[in-house]
Amino acid sequence: MTITEPTVPATSTTHPLASLTAPEITRIRDVVTAQPDWTDTTRFAYVGLAEPHKRDVLAWQAGTGAVPERCARVMLLDMATGRSTDNVVSIDGGTVLRTDVLDGSRGQLPVLIEEFDAVGEIAAADERWVAALAARGLTVEEVKCVPLSAGYYDLPEEEGRRILRVLAFRQDHPADHVWAHPVDGLSVYVDAANRTVTRIVDAADMPVPATSGNFDDPELQGEPLDLKPIVITQPEGPSFTVDGEFVEWANWRFQVGFDPREGLVLRQLSWQDGDRLRPIVYRASIDEMLVPYGDPSPVRFWQNYFDTGEYLFGRFTNSLELGCDCVGEIRYFDAVLADELGNPQTITNGICMHEEDFGTLWKHEDIYTGSHEVRRSRRLVISFFTTVGNYDYGFYWYLYLDGTIECEAKLTGVLFTSSYPGRDADGSDYGFASEVAPGLGAPYHQHLFSARLDMTVDGLTNAVDEIDAVRVPVGPGNEHGNAFTKRATRIASESMSGRLADASRGRTWFISNTEERNHLGRPTGYVLYPQDAPVLLADDSSSVASRAEFARKHLYVTQYDPAEQYAAGDFVHQNPGGDGVARYVQADRSLDGEDIVLWHTFGPTHFPRPEDWPVMPVDYAKFTLKPYGFFPRNPALNVPAAVSAATDAHCTHHTGH
């Protein structure tokens, strides 16, 4: 079942945090194209909501402040001259409030789809590229050029230029998936603005693998399994209510949003506790995603992609389909964004929301009273999928009846491949890739997501303690050696905030309100439970390590600043490094009883398996936020008992009391 998303008019009465609408994007386009410096070759690289300061939004909601001005952030690139600007446009006023001209020294605007589309033509016009392919028995018509972000390697000819690096893949017929046939040992560097080739790297003539990667070929798929349908129904409809982007479900209250850079955004996650609405997270999103590859080959040492900051992965959001991507009683939200000409475009059903059963919530059968109680758990799922080249990523936010919040990334799609060089003379495997099919390699790589969690646990005065499990040595008070305890370390300032997870200590991070107290006289709070996995494995002296400081730690904490939105900085493409969180924490601001933001890095390190080819079964990575002292007791005691299918009675039984 789908419910149509109502259109919100582009007026000053629109909620300050509402996603941009099609009429608003049209208005923004008209304001920008009316400026005297507008040219026909200028493109819209990014159009997103310029969110007002948190204090202004909260003051407006409390009735003590005016409606914040509704503005958009607009990044513009002139394809003819390379002129790049970062602008703020007043939607209400119809004016450009600010224009910053970028010189490229601290990074460039995100890569345009128009630039991606042009690289094949640019490469094909270069005689050196044509000759390199011919030496391998290939023509430009037989290969697909895959454009990739360049990183930063201080090459003189790339200074001030918009560079893309290109790897080639052979396509045997129009329905052939190219990832099975990498043309390895060869790459080309392209100046997308000047439409020229700056360098060709011809390091080795390696065989093009002949294996098939056509996972959608019924012959390759084999005989379908005999699986009976699973039908999920809610005869009385879903338990949530939706008003525009505002959602109420059980005790949860929040706002669903969309941004072309980050994709799905959740705003003002709160818990209705009687007549009190208790804030927990002001804003939650995946603000960056780094995919660094570990193959030092001369044609791929530079492979590290910032899929959010360089590619704006939100614009590749999938249109989801009932019964395929989402099952059950579904509420869809359309994703509205600007194309590169500034025109509004709508991704139908870009965000999916539904309830799902999640097994046992709580249960006990008491030996003394004869009481037998069990409750079913369910969770609200808010999700979207985006396809970035060969990989597909789903991001699922889960809200539970006991106050738990989870974010889970689902990774699938097709491996980025190489030609596998074979075993060394001593029989050892190549050290930086797996052989996933005969002659076909898949370089080792990581997927490192940054979750930006703008916390408001019971308000704006928050702090973070690092909690470790600690052994207690045998001695007075622990004569038998069975004791253990926990140690809390307050992360008092930003210089302390680069922290690593440690499963050997059960390390977690406790986010508390320094002014609020629960009925036991202790701070109300939430605990961040990380998944213990490696952070960035590239050497600390590497270019990518400098550009992705956030990925070198599992947690950073900063004091809230509306200008600090992205873990790797605002302009990631060809950024030399030292930006983002690395720059934010240099201020060493206080984090004790302050308005704070958590930057949590999570994600898998992938040593590909043959079973990951030709299309990868979903891999998972997640983190969890659980209440700790936020409630006086289990907040899910009031979940009603389910009805037994066997007895048609409630799943509860009492013989005592």
Side-chain angles (χ1 to χ4, degrees):
M1 172 181 170
T2 62
I3 305 173
T4 302
E5 173 71 1
T7 300
V8 181
T11 71
S12 59
T13 58
T14 301
H15 190 281
L17 299 179
S19 305
L20 293 179
T21 65
E24 287 180 320
I25 291 171
T26 299
R27 181 170 173 80
I28 293 162
R29 180 204 62 199
D30 292 346
V31 170
V32 170
T33 56
Q35 300 305 304
D37 58 351
W38 174 260
T39 68
D40 290 341
T41 53
T42 298
R43 299 292 180 264
F44 289 78
Y46 169 81
V47 179
L49 179 67
E51 296 187 18
H53 197 291
K54 186 193 301 185
R55 66 168 174 256
D56 296 334
V57 175
L58 297 180
W60 168 72
Q61 289 180 320
T64 59
V67 180
E69 184 176 14
R70 192 149 168 84
C71 297
R73 188 176 189 182
V74 181
M75 299 180 187
L76 301 172
L77 173 66
D78 190 326
M79 298 289 286
T81 65
R83 183 176 187 264
S84 301
T85 61
D86 183 22
N87 309 269
V88 175
V89 175
S90 170
I91 302 172
D92 295 333
T95 58
V96 177
L97 301 178
R98 190 195 78 214
T99 296
D100 296 327
V101 180
L102 309 181
D103 63 9
S105 63
R106 300 304 303 169
Q108 299 194 23
L109 296 183
V111 182
L112 299 182
I113 296 173
E114 186 172 327
E115 292 177 302
F116 278 144
D117 291 344
V119 296
E121 182 181 333
I122 296 169
D126 190 283
E127 293 179 356
R128 297 168 297 169
W129 178 250
V130 175
L133 291 176
R136 292 163 169 79
L138 298 169
T139 66
V140 293
E141 291 79 17
E142 290 178 279
V143 300
K144 296 295 183 182
C145 288
V146 177
L148 303 162
S149 54
Y152 182 84
Y153 293 93
D154 201 21
L155 299 178
E157 72 269 23
E158 295 183 355
E159 187 68 30
R161 294 185 171 190
R162 288 182 65 80
I163 302 297
L164 292 171
R165 308 201 197 280
V166 179
L167 294 172
F169 293 78
R170 190 187 73 209
Q171 187 176 41
D172 293 343
H173 52 83
D176 187 37
H177 290 276
V178 302
W179 311 106
H181 313 302
V183 183
D184 209 344
L186 178 67
S187 62
V188 57
Y189 301 174
V190 170
D191 179 341
N194 292 316
R195 297 181 65 86
T196 59
V197 170
T198 64
R199 183 180 295 201
I200 289 178
V201 180
D202 193 342
D205 185 356
M206 303 179 72
V208 177
T211 189
S212 172
N214 300 326
F215 58 85
D216 50 359
D217 183 348
E219 185 174 337
L220 186 64
Q221 291 175 349
E223 188 70 24
L225 293 175
D226 182 19
L227 297 177
K228 303 299 186 281
I230 296 176
V231 179
I232 299 171
T233 62
Q234 290 183 274
E236 299 178 22
S239 303
F240 53 75
T241 59
V242 180
D243 182 7
E245 293 184 329
F246 293 89
V247 179
E248 296 186 4
W249 178 75
N251 294 94
W252 288 105
R253 309 288 184 268
F254 63 95
Q255 186 176 355
V256 174
F258 178 82
D259 178 80
R261 182 166 178 161
E262 301 166 286
L264 173 61
V265 178
L266 297 185
R267 294 187 171 97
Q268 295 192 302
L269 274 166
S270 305
W271 185 274
Q272 189 68 53
D273 195 354
D275 58 0
R276 180 186 176 196
L277 186 63
R278 302 176 66 186
I280 300 167
V281 184
Y282 181 78
R283 189 183 193 277
S285 68
I286 302 299
D287 72 283
E288 191 52 87
M289 180 174 75
L290 170 66
V291 187
Y293 281 75
D295 190 343
S297 157
V299 298
R300 60 181 72 248
F301 67 88
W302 44 263
Q303 275 191 280
N304 50 81
Y305 318 129
F306 294 74
D307 285 345
T308 307
E310 292 176 331
Y311 298 157
L312 305 187
F313 77 179
R315 63 184 170 178
F316 305 118
T317 294
N318 296 180
S319 185
L320 303 175
E321 189 172 343
L322 184 65
C324 301
D325 300 289
C326 308
V327 295
E329 194 81 5
I330 305 300
R331 171 54 151 98
Y332 290 109
F333 299 84
D334 293 344
V336 180
L337 64 160
D339 66 16
E340 291 175 1
L341 296 177
N343 299 315
Q345 64 176 101
T346 298
I347 302 172
T348 305
N349 299 349
I351 296 170
C352 169
M353 184 173 73
H354 67 284
E355 295 175 279
E356 64 183 23
D357 182 88
F358 199 64
T360 301
L361 172 62
W362 56 263
K363 175 183 173 71
H364 183 60
E365 188 165 335
D366 196 82
I367 61 174
Y368 297 111
T369 68
S371 169
H372 175 89
E373 295 272 343
V374 61
R375 297 294 187 273
R376 298 291 301 175
S377 179
R378 69 173 69 182
R379 61 187 184 185
L380 187 66
V381 185
I382 313 102
S383 65
F384 86 110
F385 248 96
T386 180
T387 300
V388 189
N390 55 301
Y391 260 105
D392 300 75
Y393 299 93
F395 294 94
Y396 287 65
W397 291 88
Y398 303 123
L399 304 180
Y400 294 85
L401 296 168
D402 66 350
T404 296
I405 304 166
E406 265 183 352
C407 177
E408 183 174 62
K410 299 184 180 183
L411 302 81
T412 181
V414 181
L415 298 167
F416 200 101
T417 53
S418 61
S419 179
Y420 192 75
R423 291 182 170 86
D424 295 336
D426 62 0
S428 60
D429 285 328
Y430 181 63
F432 308 106
S434 303
E435 187 174 21
V436 295
L440 184 68
Y444 303 155
H445 58 281
Q446 296 180 279
H447 302 264
L448 299 172
F449 310 106
S450 173
R452 183 181 182 273
L453 303 170
D454 185 347
M455 303 301 296
T456 49
V457 178
D458 267 339
L460 299 178
T461 53
N462 286 182
V464 180
D465 291 295
E466 184 170 272
I467 309 297
D468 286 343
V470 178
R471 285 178 169 170
V472 177
V474 172
N478 186 30
E479 288 79 4
H480 301 286
N482 65 300
F484 62 91
T485 187
K486 65 179 181 180
R487 178 177 60 231
T489 302
R490 175 63 52 91
I491 303 175
S493 71
E494 291 175 331
S495 64
M496 296 177 61
S497 75
R499 316 301 294 185
L500 291 170
D502 187 346
S504 70
R505 299 175 182 270
R507 180 167 292 167
T508 59
W509 293 288
F510 176 54
I511 307 108
S512 65
N513 188 296
T514 57
E515 296 180 356
E516 291 289 323
R517 291 293 181 268
N518 59 25
H519 71 298
L520 300 174
R522 295 180 174 84
T524 60
Y526 261 72
V527 174
L528 171 60
Y529 292 85
Q531 273 193 334
D532 192 28
V535 290
L536 180 65
L537 292 172
D539 189 84
D540 289 348
S541 66
S542 65
S543 171
V544 66
S546 176
R547 300 178 68 228
E549 288 273 358
F550 75 91
R552 298 167 69 176
K553 303 290 183 182
H554 289 109
L555 181 73
Y556 280 95
V557 187
T558 59
Q559 195 177 115
Y560 169 80
D561 182 333
E564 297 174 355
Q565 294 181 289
Y566 309 113
D570 287 22
F571 308 107
V572 184
H573 183 40
Q574 294 177 252
N575 191 310
D579 208 344
V581 168
R583 177 170 55 84
Y584 306 157
V585 299
Q586 289 177 3
D588 197 22
R589 294 162 291 192
S590 169
L591 301 175
D592 198 347
E594 304 286 354
D595 186 0
I596 61 173
V597 176
L598 274 62
W599 309 80
H600 176 45
T601 299
F602 69 107
T605 295
H606 196 182
F607 301 105
R609 310 168 298 147
E611 293 86 351
D612 291 328
W613 180 259
V615 64
M616 193 175 88
V618 167
D619 199 0
Y620 302 88
K622 70 174 184 178
F623 66 87
T624 305
L625 286 161
K626 294 184 80 69
Y628 194 105
F630 193 79
F631 302 109
R633 62 187 64 84
N634 178 351
L637 289 177
N638 61 344
V639 172
V643 175
S644 168
T647 64
D648 202 30
H650 285 96
C651 301
T652 179
H653 176 64
H654 301 273
T655 58
H657 300 298

